[in-house]
Amino acid sequence: VSGGATLELTAPAHTIYIDNTDNTYGGTWVVSGGTAEFSDGGAVGVADIEVQSNATLRINGAWDGKTSGSTLTVADSPGATVDLGSHAWSAGAAVFGGVSLSNDVYTVAELNAFGANTVFTGTGTLDVGFAPTTYYLQANASSASTPITLKTIWYDAPAGGNQMSA
């Protein structure tokens, strides 16, 4: 499943366990009841995650949502829990209780201070903000005696790679 599809994970009083460590899912996991537990960050895929008011999220390892630009959205509710464990998570963006978090690295205590409820647990951290992207400008020299002329073509790799928009 990919490309904007939403998968709702709901099993009140139960745990849904996702253990495909090479998951390529790219939509949104909506955790709306019970517990959604991912074996590690790879099991999340490149998806966004939304934790609703009566749900628990647990990822048993580091999660790199920053590279893919994934968003973590969490309800500020006494029934919501996000267990960071002792892991380092990252997200391209994060929203807690309807408020977008600034780009920064947050502890559990700092995250909980943004809301009215103690939603985040564990000793891990959440790093919020898009990963920097390096682009390469193609340079061209027609001969050793001619100065380099720059083209307005950007690439995502030094040897060309994929052409990027200007």
Side-chain angles (χ1 to χ4, degrees):
V1 178
S2 64
T6 298
L7 288 177
E8 184 173 0
L9 304 174
T10 184
H14 297 285
T15 298
I16 298 172
Y17 191 73
I18 293 110
D19 65 355
N20 177 1
T21 60
D22 295 319
N23 202 335
T24 59
Y25 176 59
T28 302
W29 297 106
V30 177
V31 186
S32 62
T35 299
E37 185 170 339
F38 294 85
S39 61
D40 64 15
V44 176
V46 294
D48 296 330
I49 304 172
E50 180 182 331
V51 181
Q52 295 182 345
S53 61
N54 291 309
T56 297
L57 170 66
R58 185 176 298 116
I59 303 172
N60 297 321
W63 171 52
D64 178 14
K66 193 178 229 186
T67 300
S68 61
S70 298
T71 299
L72 174 65
T73 304
V74 179
D76 183 5
S77 167
T81 302
V82 176
D83 182 3
L84 294 173
S86 60
H87 311 291
W89 293 6
S90 70
V95 178
F96 178 39
V99 176
S100 294
L101 301 181
S102 299
N103 294 353
D104 206 343
V105 179
Y106 298 97
T107 65
V108 166
E110 291 168 330
L111 290 166
N112 285 325
F114 288 114
N117 296 284
T118 302
V119 172
F120 294 89
T121 64
T123 59
T125 58
L126 176 62
D127 181 359
V128 178
F130 282 101
T133 303
T134 302
Y135 296 103
Y136 301 87
L137 181 64
Q138 185 183 52
N140 201 358
S142 56
S143 72
S145 61
T146 305
I148 293 175
T149 58
L150 298 177
K151 296 182 178 182
T152 56
I153 302 174
W154 293 88
Y155 291 91
D156 66 355
N162 297 312
Q163 186 173 337
M164 312 304 288
S165 59

